[in-house]
Amino acid sequence: MGLAGLPRGRRVAPSILSADFARLGSQVEMVLEAGARVIHVDVMDGDFVPPITIGPLIVGAIADLVHDAGGAIDVHMMIERPEAQVGEFAKAGADSITFHAEATPHSHRLIGAIHEAGCEAGVAINPGTPVAALAEVAADADLLLCMSVNPGWGGQAFIPASMEKLRRIDALGSDAAIEVDGGVDAANAAEVSAAGADLMVAGSAIFRAPDPVAAYREIAAAAGAE
Ligand code: DX5
Ligand code: ZN
């Protein structure tokens, strides 16, 4: 089975966590029209992180909209026992599925299960988790996600030490795309991109801006993203 996958190249991925859920479809359309091709979906279970957010139902609700525009859905699972949910998210229309290294003793096996389900596989690490957790799976994963805030909420400040951590992830020399998530905005996007990030998630900096289209374009331009 061919992998669904994410578009290649440097990209800014709007996170719908900060969108207005009463009009989610038009919010997603807006960022697609602004040029976004990767839509980031934050899945939280009230266990790995305190909040409960989005499940496969919402992924399924936006899947056609995103795919018809040539976009892809990047699912970020901040959940315990991620193994149990891969099938449902793949079926709902996820193109990539990322799990946290801290949430499973079986990172390597889970990457294989995500590929079997037809999606690209990502491994995420929290700010307190060493890069070594990614190094061991860097040859098998499609995405290496460096959390630049403690996961759970949008709108937090970028943790400065993440910049140097991104450089160390870049130095692994893996073919996997490097993703950064948390506190990315127009002011730090250029530096984050220079540190090695290919995929830059931005939630509040886009959806909480007075003009989300202009905000997306400003961050993408600063990042040198398509
Ligand atoms: C945080 C989530 C992020 C969040 C980022 O736990 O994983 O994807 O939406 O939001 P901002 O860009 O506001 O930090
Ligand atoms: Zn996220």
Side-chain angles (χ1 to χ4, degrees):
M1 189 189 307
L3 298 183
L6 302 182
R8 292 290 152 213
R10 191 161 279 138
R11 302 272 174 179
V12 172
S15 164
I16 61 168
L17 185 64
S18 292
D20 176 356
F21 278 84
R23 41 192 201 99
L24 184 57
S26 60
Q27 297 260 284
V28 171
E29 265 168 9
M30 185 170 62
V31 290
L32 288 167
E33 274 164 28
R37 287 297 173 269
V38 180
I39 303 297
H40 184 84
V41 177
D42 287 306
V43 177
M44 306 188 194
D45 64 350
D47 192 0
F48 183 74
V49 289
I52 297 175
T53 57
I54 298 165
L57 196 65
I58 298 292
V59 170
I62 62 168
D64 284 350
L65 188 61
V66 174
H67 293 147
D68 289 352
I73 298 179
D74 178 36
V75 168
H76 176 197
M77 299 197 295
M78 287 156 275
I79 66 173
E80 297 290 351
R81 289 169 295 284
E83 294 83 357
Q85 300 299 329
V86 166
E88 289 301 310
F89 281 104
K91 210 163 61 187
D95 296 281
S96 64
I97 299 180
T98 295
F99 62 89
H100 270 261
E102 303 86 356
T104 175
H106 298 297
S107 284
H108 186 271
R109 191 166 75 200
L110 186 48
I111 288 168
I114 294 170
H115 286 161
E116 287 281 307
C119 299
E120 288 193 329
V123 184
I125 53 170
N126 284 334
T129 301
V131 169
L134 296 181
E136 295 301 331
V137 290
D140 300 293
D142 305 290
L143 283 170
L144 304 175
L145 196 171
C146 177
M147 287 305 302
S148 40
V149 299
N150 287 294
W153 300 271
Q156 303 179 79
F158 187 92
I159 296 171
S162 314
M163 214 60 94
E164 198 267 322
K165 195 174 185 182
L166 277 171
R167 288 188 206 105
R168 280 186 284 129
I169 296 171
D170 196 30
L172 295 175
S174 158
D175 286 340
I178 298 175
E179 183 168 10
V180 61
D181 187 4
V184 174
D185 58 21
N188 61 21
E191 200 183 346
V192 166
S193 165
D198 303 294
L199 188 57
M200 287 152 271
V201 177
S204 55
I206 293 174
F207 287 110
R208 296 288 150 131
D211 181 349
V213 170
Y216 170 84
R217 291 193 173 136
E218 197 189 344
I219 298 167
E226 290 172 50

